[in-house]
Structures are given as structure tokens and as C-alpha cells.
Amino acid sequence: MTEPDLIPVPLTADHPEGTLTLDARTALDAGPGTEGTARWLRAVLGAATGLSLPDGTGPGAIRLRTSPGTEEEYGPEGYRLTVDGDGVLIDGGGPAGLFWGAQTLRQLLGPDAYRRAPLRPGADWELPYTTVTDRPRFGWRGLLLDVSRHFMPKEDVLRYLDLMAAHKLNVFHFHLTDDQGWRVQIRRYPKLTEDGAWRARSKWGHRASPLWDDTPHGGYYTQDDLREIVAYAADRHITVVPEIDIPGHSQAAIAAYPWLGNTDAVDTGALTVWDTWGVNPNVLAPTEEVLRFYEHVLEEVLEIFPSTFVHVGGDECPKDQWKASPAAQARIQELGVGDEDGLQSWFIRHFDRWLADRGRRLIGWDEILEGGLADGAAVSSWRGYGGGIAAAEAGHDVVMCPEQQVYLDHRQDGGEDEPVPIGFVRTLADVHRFEPVPPGLSEEAARHVLGTQANVWTEVMENRGRVDYQVFPRLVAFAEVAWSALPAPDARDTEGFLRRMETHYRRLDALGVAYRPPTGPTPWQRRPGLLGRPIEGAPPNV
Ligand code: ACM
């Protein structure tokens, strides 16, 4: 038996000589509180293996437990997994830990355990004898998916949740609104999706490209779709954090309801959903009516998403229209906030209090630090580590997602044939050497690093295959960084990780993931002649 090449690498793993055979008689012995994982095992592993895993006990059974001892030692997301002559025991620190243990069991079964039907119906399955103990390094192991720039149909979102679960990622940051499309149904404001969820055409390539795709683009999730997504995620111990952008990245909303914009500075009635990319000048007007509108939106959002954190964006809000708008200038005086940065802060503070009053917490991009951050607010540090360091040292919680390291829209190789090359070269190995906690952070501040997140902005990813290409294989390296207790970057066994990837590529093949092959893009993954925006001279890792 070869090493099972577990990814993310567990805290400890031992593989004594021997194998356990699973066959049609193999029973599932699900202890109290383990029903969710039992259901998942039957549905997913049952489909792949053809084993029905009937209820039962006895020799060779797969036993599922959660125990206080495991929780004490490894936390609620930790687990112990044993495969020996007696059968399989997965003992979680809690239901989440048990589920992550079941994901490890799937890896032990081999790549064909990632298929949806058995290749050889009726065949037995071999599991290597194994003892694993494991727990995550971070509680926030996130993936942001931008479904505004390009809509991702619900079925594909569910597939991404499965892909996250297979890599023990547990926060799905759902970027639902932006200039290029509003994707969440709001009952009170139907035009947000009637008008705001589609555009007549799309820039084809980077914004400097002369090309257009004249296919109308759009789509949105009904509230029931979103409830389904949230429940599907919860079954996989993934929290969905919705993002509703204020006060910038709002052109789609303004196109639907022109009074949301700065009507005395620009003819907002002439705006349509934006069809190109970049930072957009059309931002929300700083009025009480706009606050009420977004409270109403968020009321419906809170009904759908139980997540403690709600993301309100707060990034890239140009101040030109507020400078040009007499009404915005009068507001600055009336509110006594000093200047346009004060208005931005006023927006964020309002929703920080509003969310806190409802038992939730605001999270926003690091620009929300400008003008002072409200108590309890957390920061997604994207413009490098700096915002995250400042926020953490000031006692705010932080999710580290620096664009220089973990923006998966950035190209993953310097070659000529990378499709629509954007940004820095960040290879699979580079991502494996990413360190979410920068050196020099005080111990106390480091405790405010909730975790880390990879962000997928989809301007140049027009379909699922393009998203797969950018996300994989790098999300695999990211998952190991987020989960495993890896040493400092220069001491990391990245070569060993790349060797384990040889097995993992076969898992991704079985899952049908259109990853970037190590040899480079296939012809149908290339986009010859399509302008990107490569940035030379990527900054160092930290
Ligand atoms: C961002 O990339 N503007 C958060």
C-alpha cells in the first residue's frame, strides 16, 4: 500500500501494515449526534462505492462518534480516525470534526471514491490501516466567489460547496452584489433582480481590451435558492457569509433604483448595469432614504443567512461624486463628519450598529479602517497585510486575504499561453508558501487573525471551466495552509506537497475539476488574443 497522500496534511498520521476490506456487509454504526455525517457518507461515499452501509454494529463496521475527550484535545473541528482490524472509528470533537474525519476517510479510499457511481459495481474496497489525529489551524478557512461579474448557476455553487468540503474549507464568502449584477432576490425591491441582475453585453477580457461579448449576461438566486445553498453548506459544516456592497460597487442597484445614486452629480436615470470592469464612480448617495433601503435589503438577507458575520464591502469607493454633489456636501456638514472619508465611515458605522443590534457582526474590506473602525467590526485584509495588521493590533478580528498572495484571479504561471493573464504570477508552490499570520504581529494581535481566505474575482472567468482553471489546483495548496499546522514558509515541505498532489490530481479528475494541468493549459483552456493585465515583478511573499 502506498502512502495515501492526505491533503490537507493532518496533524499526525500513521499507517501500520495492513488493510481493512469494506464490502456489502459493512455496517454504519452512527452514535448520537452523528446523523448528518452518516447521511453524507451514505449519499456520497455510498454512491461512489456502491456500498449501502446499512445500520449496524460489529466487526468491520464504520463507527461514528463525537466525544468530549476529542473536543478537549482537538477542538470541535478536530477528529481522530482509526482504521484497523476492528473496522473504522471516526471520533469528532463535534459534528464538524466528525465530518472532516469523514472527508479524510474518503481520501483513504482512493481517487475513485470521488466519483458518483462505482466503476466496478459489487467490488470490495480496501482501506489502509491508519491512525490520524487532526485539527484545523484556523477557524476561518474561506473561499470568496464573485457571482456578480459572472453569474454562477445554483447547481455550480452547490458543486463548489462540495469542492470546499472535500478540502476542509468552511467559510463561503458569497459576493452577491456589485456594479455588474445584483444576484439576490429582494422581495421588497423586485427591480434589483428584474433590472439589476442582467447586462446587455460584457467586456471580453481585461477592461483595456477592445472586445465585447454581445451575449446578454445575467442571473440571480431566488430566496429559496439561497436557503437551499445555505442548508447544503450547513450540512457540510460550511458557513455562508453574504456580501452586500455599500457604498461603492453599487451601479447595478443604482441602475435598478436611480434615487440610490448621487442624482445631483450624475444622471443616474441613464445608468445601466455596468458592462465592463474596474473601479466604478457611481456610488450610493449618503441619505437617510438610502440607509433605509439597505436596512430593508439586509432584513431579508438576515432572514436567509444565519451567519454571524455579514459582509458589507466598503472597498473601492471613489469620492468624486460626493465631492461634486451639493447634497453630499451638505450631509458632511449636517453630520459633522469632516469630509468624504467621514461619509464612508458614517455608512459603515451605521450598519455596524444596525447589525450588532440584531446579534450579527459586520465584516468589510480593509478600506473600512479609514476614518475609524467601529467596535466589533472585522476586516478582510486584501490590499496586502497592512490593513489586517493595523486592525488586529487595534483589537479587531481579521481575515487575511492579501491580493499579492491569494487572489486566484491572478495568473498562476508566467507563460505566454496563460488565459487572460491578470496580476502577479502566483504558482501552486507560491500559494503553499503563503503565511496568513505575518511575522512581527504581536501574540495578542495574532489571536485576532480568525483565519484566511482565497478570493476569486470573475471578470475574466466567463464560465465554470474558467473558474475551475483559476481556482484549481491552487485552492488545494491554500486549503493546506488554512488547515494544517505548517512550519514557516521557508521551512515548509512544499516539494512533499507537490508529490502528494500527484494523487490529488486523480481525485480532482474523478470530481471533474477542470484544473490547470502542471504542464500548462490545454488548447481549450487558452484564450489566444484576449487581453489580460499581467503585472511584472510580484512583491515578496511577506
Ligand atoms: C477587492 O478586491 N476590491 C476587495
Side-chain angles (χ1 to χ4, degrees):
M1 189 81 200
T2 54
E3 288 285 309
D5 291 339
L6 299 176
I7 295 182
V9 67
L11 194 61
T12 70
D14 189 32
H15 303 288
E17 213 41 51
T19 59
L20 174 75
T21 301
L22 304 186
D23 60 28
R25 287 161 308 172
T26 300
L28 192 61
D29 170 7
T34 69
E35 297 79 7
T37 292
R39 209 168 52 234
W40 181 86
L41 276 171
R42 287 205 174 97
V44 176
L45 280 195
T49 61
L51 304 176
S52 58
L53 304 174
D55 270 335
T57 55
I62 300 174
R63 284 163 293 156
L64 306 181
R65 299 287 184 269
T66 59
S67 71
T70 301
E71 179 172 15
E72 204 164 294
E73 202 160 347
Y74 300 104
E77 290 199 279
Y79 66 91
R80 303 169 203 256
L81 166 63
T82 312
V83 181
D84 59 21
D86 292 335
V88 177
L89 172 63
I90 314 177
D91 180 3
L98 179 73
F99 181 70
W100 305 131
Q103 292 291 348
T104 300
L105 178 69
R106 190 188 196 184
Q107 294 202 346
L108 293 172
L109 281 166
D112 288 338
Y114 288 80
R115 296 184 183 275
R116 290 188 193 227
L119 302 186
R120 290 168 297 282
D124 294 349
W125 288 71
E126 298 289 315
L127 274 174
Y129 285 178
T130 299
T131 308
V132 165
T133 63
D134 206 3
R135 67 162 168 247
R137 179 177 178 199
F138 294 110
W140 185 302
R141 305 180 300 280
L143 173 69
L144 174 146
L145 192 63
D146 164 15
V147 293
S148 173
R149 273 53 176 265
H150 281 99
F151 180 64
M152 182 178 272
K154 184 196 76 181
E155 280 302 314
D156 292 338
V157 172
L158 299 178
R159 170 178 176 268
Y160 257 87
L161 292 169
D162 280 326
L163 292 172
M164 288 177 67
H167 295 89
K168 299 188 173 79
L169 297 171
N170 71 340
V171 177
F172 181 57
H173 178 161
F174 207 5
H175 185 78
L176 285 164
T177 74
D178 215 305
D179 303 301
Q180 293 86 354
W182 182 283
R183 308 285 177 221
V184 44
Q185 177 196 16
I186 300 296
R187 295 187 307 269
R188 188 169 180 140
Y189 299 118
K191 286 197 214 173
L192 284 171
T193 43
E194 283 166 13
D195 295 343
W198 74 280
R199 56 183 186 256
R201 63 174 189 172
S202 304
K203 175 57 66 179
W204 183 224
H206 180 258
R207 66 176 172 274
S209 159
L211 304 176
W212 295 93
D213 178 347
D214 284 317
T215 315
H217 181 83
Y220 67 94
Y221 311 101
T222 66
Q223 296 199 350
D224 282 347
D225 290 339
L226 292 166
R227 285 195 183 87
E228 180 185 357
I229 287 168
V230 166
Y232 194 87
D235 276 350
R236 286 151 185 77
H237 299 276
I238 295 170
T239 301
V240 183
V241 174
E243 181 179 355
I244 305 292
D245 277 12
I246 56 163
H249 288 284
S250 297
Q251 182 163 319
I254 297 168
Y257 293 96
W259 58 266
L260 294 173
N262 294 284
T263 51
D264 58 349
V266 61
D267 178 9
T268 58
L271 292 174
T272 55
V273 174
W274 210 23
D275 53 15
T276 187
W277 324 121
V279 176
N280 185 297
N282 294 300
V283 305
L284 298 177
T287 66
E288 290 300 317
E289 293 73 25
V290 169
L291 292 188
R292 295 294 92 69
F293 180 96
Y294 275 85
E295 288 171 2
H296 294 147
V297 167
L298 285 169
E299 277 167 10
E300 295 190 30
V301 167
L302 297 195
E303 281 175 21
I304 302 165
F305 297 95
S307 157
T308 300
F309 282 104
V310 174
H311 208 290
V312 299
D315 60 321
E316 296 179 322
C317 178
K319 307 297 187 297
D320 309 304
Q321 288 186 358
W322 291 346
K323 288 192 175 123
S325 157
Q329 291 301 310
R331 273 306 259 174
I332 290 172
Q333 298 306 318
E334 187 188 332
L335 295 167
V337 295
D339 59 12
E340 293 77 19
D341 285 341
L343 277 185
Q344 152 115 4
S345 199
W346 168 81
F347 260 110
I348 299 300
R349 280 172 181 275
H350 176 82
F351 285 102
D352 186 29
R353 277 190 309 273
W354 189 92
L355 286 166
D357 286 346
R358 286 154 185 78
R360 307 294 184 104
R361 291 178 64 189
L362 177 144
I363 183 165
W365 301 110
D366 53 64
E367 286 95 329
I368 70 171
L369 285 164
E370 294 160 12
L373 192 50
D375 286 347
V379 165
S380 306
S381 189
W382 75 277
R383 295 176 298 177
Y385 290 103
I389 292 170
E393 295 288 357
H396 293 286
D397 287 338
V398 170
V399 175
M400 284 292 187
C401 48
E403 63 172 337
Q404 295 84 350
Q405 327 288 345
V406 284
Y407 265 36
L408 300 185
D409 49 328
H410 286 208
R411 60 201 167 129
Q412 48 200 323
D413 190 88
E416 290 283 301
D417 54 6
E418 277 313 300
V420 215
I422 300 285
F424 311 117
V425 174
R426 282 296 175 229
T427 65
L428 178 63
D430 290 335
V431 174
H432 192 258
R433 293 190 197 101
F434 165 58
E435 173 49 48
V437 180
L441 206 60
S442 72
E443 215 170 285
E444 193 177 337
R447 278 199 290 275
H448 284 292
V449 179
L450 298 177
T452 182
Q453 180 173 296
N455 294 345
V456 181
W457 305 101
T458 59
E459 288 90 338
V460 299
M461 296 170 214
E462 71 281 4
N463 59 33
R464 179 178 115 170
R466 278 288 294 128
V467 174
D468 275 10
Y469 181 91
Q470 292 300 129
V471 172
F472 287 97
R474 291 183 296 181
L475 191 69
V476 183
F478 174 79
E480 182 149 297
V481 167
W483 175 281
S484 304
L486 300 179
D490 52 7
R492 266 179 210 169
D493 183 15
T494 296
E495 291 306 315
F497 165 76
L498 295 173
R499 275 195 302 278
R500 281 180 286 126
M501 275 305 295
E502 288 170 26
T503 299
H504 204 76
Y505 281 119
R506 291 168 49 219
R507 297 181 189 128
L508 298 178
D509 286 332
L511 284 164
V513 175
Y515 56 82
R516 179 189 189 278
T519 48
T522 58
W524 57 93
Q525 289 174 320
R526 295 175 197 149
R527 294 290 182 273
L530 197 51
L531 190 70
R533 185 173 171 265
I535 301 173
E536 300 303 333
N541 253 325
V542 175

